[in-house]
């Protein structure tokens, strides 16, 4: 209770990012970076220009420059002091697609950063297969998201990566500026989610994430609430309490509420897993698997960032976002394998493995949120299972659900922002594996096979009938082992843009 009081006082009187939280490290900007990294600027004010060219349409280049372009897929010309970067986007302009533009934009931004360029304009060619506005949005997104590095703890100037500070996007035909403010807002959300996930867990603990959420709420007009301290058990969030009971920073359930749809309109509920560090608990993770577990709160990071963007864009819909926050720590107070816990819903759960903690935190958040808001649609998002990474790799999230129209809408939203998802099944056999003898449910299936599916089946037990529900397992795309395209190594912010795009669809 004393800890809870200190949290409330800090929220009322202190700035969200104190020197103590920064641990005295010199930083060029406050982290997380709520304003993004690169701003959109007026055409003609930049240092460099990027031209997308095809091998058939590079007639203005000299033979030597063309050879360089075909060899490296990029070459440079100069007109006075202004550099023009020619980036190869394909062979035939009539057969260029969005992924070609993404890859070429990523290549161009990497090159500009290596050249220490601070601002650039991207000239969009006329592409028969892609409308100009869509092509510009793809380029803008790929440029803003390639232009990312988590630089907070780099104190030596010679080691700090150079990042673009200004960007403009123009049409090649009439030089019209094609800046899309919505794309900029979405990318800023992704950068916020990345910064939260990439921050180390001794800083980004549950109280810190709560404080950031409170700051975001005050900034954007979102309604904020938190259940922490003794109130966690008082509200019967016993699964969440069990996960976090061994940690220095207590578990908590944060909510952010956007009433864009008006009184009586149905609610869309988002629930993000926020395990700020996952040791595995007493089922301890080994060396090689534990080091990156500050990233295990990627679902909560995406949810928080999405709620901020939803408020900024004034999406005309009622949306509530829950952050289920806890550290899964080891110590004398840590919960134990085969402990039986009564959930908020009333179902009893035998904890088969303390390293399957995320589903426990999510289960109570799902149950509590439904009881309070009676949502028509629910999405939970979590870096949940290694099994999903085995199934799909790092480039797509597993999508589970109970409503075909809703999962189709989620897949469409993900495709629109290049956050790809893939439908996965929950078969009767997956649910059967969870049936207990001494408790209503076991928290995991009987073996390692089908682990992503049994985890989804467990979560489905906490969804009331009649509600459209989907589960996004982002264990792969939420935390990359190495950079790929505009997704960096580490926390990628995956899911933030998908959730905002979904919320903007009136039919879901």
């Amino acid at each position: 209770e004393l800890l809870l009081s200190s949290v409330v006082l800090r929220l009322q009187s202190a700035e969200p990012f104190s020197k103590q939280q920064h641990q005295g490290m010199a930083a060029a900007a406050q982290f997380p970076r709520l304003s993004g990294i690169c701003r959109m600027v007026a055409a003609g004010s930049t240092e460099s220009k990027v031209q997308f060219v095809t091998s058939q349409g590079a007639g203005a280049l000299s033979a030597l420059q063309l050879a360089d372009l075909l060899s490296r897929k990029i070459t440079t010309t100069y007109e006075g002091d202004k550099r023009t970067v020619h980036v190869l986007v394909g062979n035939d302009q009539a057969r260029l697609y969005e992924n070609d533009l993404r890859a070429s934009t990523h290549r161009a931004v990497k090159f500009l950063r290596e050249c220490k360029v601070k601002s650039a304009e991207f000239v969009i060619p006329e592409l028969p297969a892609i409308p100009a506005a869509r092509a510009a949005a793809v380029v803008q997104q790929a440029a803003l998201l390639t232009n990312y590095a988590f630089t907070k703890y780099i104190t030596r100037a010679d080691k700090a990566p150079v990042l673009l500070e200004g960007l403009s996007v123009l049409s090649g035909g009439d030089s019209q500026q094609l800046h899309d403010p919505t794309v900029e807002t979405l990318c800023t959300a992704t950068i916020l989610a990345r910064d939260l996930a990439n921050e180390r867990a001794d800083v980004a603990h549950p109280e810190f994430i709560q404080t950031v959420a409170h700051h975001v709420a005050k900034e954007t007009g979102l309604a904020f609430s938190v259940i922490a301290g003794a109130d966690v058990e008082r509200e019967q969030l016993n699964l969440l309490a069990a996960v976090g009971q061994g940690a220095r920073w207590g578990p908590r359930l944060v909510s952010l509420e956007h009433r864009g749809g008006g009184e009586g309109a149905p609610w869309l509920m988002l629930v993000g897993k926020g395990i700020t560090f996952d040791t595995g608990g007493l089922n301890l993770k080994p060396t090689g698997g534990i080091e990156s577990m500050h990233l295990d709160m990627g679902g909560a990071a995406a949810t928080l960032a999405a709620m901020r963007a939803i408020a900024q864009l004034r999406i005309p819909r009622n949306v509530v976002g829950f952050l289920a926050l806890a550290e899964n720590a080891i110590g004398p107070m840590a919960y134990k394998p085969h402990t039986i816990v009564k959930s908020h819903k009333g179902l009893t759960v035998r904890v088969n493995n303390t390293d399957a903690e995320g589903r426990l935190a999510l289960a109570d958040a799902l149950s509590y949120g439904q009881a309070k808001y009676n949502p028509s649609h629910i999405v939970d998002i979590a870096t949940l299972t290694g099994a999903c990474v085995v199934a799909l790799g790092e480039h797509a999230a597993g999508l589970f659900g109970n409503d075909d129209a809703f999962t189709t809408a989620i897949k469409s939203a993900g495709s629109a922002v290049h956050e790809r998802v893939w439908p996965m099944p929950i078969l009767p056999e997956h649910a059967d594996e969870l049936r207990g003898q001494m408790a209503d449910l076991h928290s995991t299936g009987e073996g390692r096979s089908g682990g992503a599916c049994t985890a989804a089946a467990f979560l489905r037990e906490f969804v009331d009938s009649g509600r459209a529900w989907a589960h996004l397992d982002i264990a792969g795309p939420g935390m990359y082992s190495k950079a790929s395209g505009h997704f960096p190594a580490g926390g990628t912010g995956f899911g933030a843009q998908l959730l905002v795009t979904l919320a903007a669809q009136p039919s879901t």
Side-chain angles (χ1 to χ4, degrees), residues 360-412:
L360 304 181
L362 288 172
D364 270 354
L366 285 166
S367 177
Y368 177 87
Q370 289 169 92
K372 184 171 182 179
Y373 288 93
N374 190 28
S376 60
H377 294 77
I378 304 168
V379 182
D380 72 73
I381 180 168
T383 51
L384 204 65
T385 67
C388 202
V389 186
V390 172
L392 298 176
E394 294 184 339
H395 306 296
L399 170 62
F400 303 81
N402 64 1
D403 183 284
D404 288 345
F406 191 40
T407 54
T408 298
I410 291 171
K411 188 174 181 182
S412 174

Side-chain angles (χ1 to χ4, degrees), residues 240-302:
L240 177 63
V243 172
Q245 71 186 34
R248 175 186 174 193
W249 304 98
R252 61 205 67 208
L253 184 64
V254 169
S255 67
L256 296 166
E257 184 183 296
H258 170 72
R259 290 183 175 268
E263 199 67 35
W267 286 90
L268 167 65
M269 186 170 87
L270 312 177
V271 182
K273 171 189 169 184
I275 304 301
T276 58
F277 196 84
D278 182 15
T279 66
L282 294 179
N283 292 115
L284 185 65
K285 290 182 183 290
T287 298
I290 197 172
E291 293 82 359
S292 62
M293 284 299 102
H294 60 284
L295 299 172
D296 208 20
M297 45 74 72

Side-chain angles (χ1 to χ4, degrees), residues 208-393:
F208 177 84
I209 303 302
Q210 172 190 330
T211 308
V212 175
H214 186 256
H215 176 81
V216 165
K218 289 197 297 183
E219 171 206 25
T220 60
L222 292 165
F224 169 91
S225 66
V226 59
I227 300 170
D231 287 339
V232 174
E233 291 189 3
R234 191 174 294 122
E235 293 289 348
Q236 301 181 44
L237 303 173
N238 298 316
L239 293 175
L240 177 63
V243 172
Q245 71 186 34
R248 175 186 174 193
W249 304 98
R252 61 205 67 208
L253 184 64
V254 169
S255 67
L256 296 166
E257 184 183 296
H258 170 72
R259 290 183 175 268
E263 199 67 35
W267 286 90
L268 167 65
M269 186 170 87
L270 312 177
V271 182
K273 171 189 169 184
I275 304 301
T276 58
F277 196 84
D278 182 15
T279 66
L282 294 179
N283 292 115
L284 185 65
K285 290 182 183 290
T287 298
I290 197 172
E291 293 82 359
S292 62
M293 284 299 102
H294 60 284
L295 299 172
D296 208 20
M297 45 74 72
T303 301
L304 170 52
M307 290 303 300
R308 182 174 188 251
I310 286 167
Q312 289 173 325
L313 295 171
R314 299 182 180 181
I315 289 176
R317 183 172 192 172
N318 289 345
V319 187
V320 60
F322 283 96
L323 318 178
L325 302 171
E327 280 186 272
N328 188 19
I330 55 174
M333 296 297 292
Y335 74 134
K336 300 170 179 64
H338 282 213
T339 293
I340 296 176
V341 183
K342 187 176 183 180
S343 68
H344 179 273
K345 186 175 182 177
L347 294 171
T348 56
V349 177
R350 189 184 81 178
V351 178
N352 279 8
N353 187 315
T354 61
D355 195 19
E357 82 299 326
R359 66 197 69 185
L360 304 181
L362 288 172
D364 270 354
L366 285 166
S367 177
Y368 177 87
Q370 289 169 92
K372 184 171 182 179
Y373 288 93
N374 190 28
S376 60
H377 294 77
I378 304 168
V379 182
D380 72 73
I381 180 168
T383 51
L384 204 65
T385 67
C388 202
V389 186
V390 172
L392 298 176

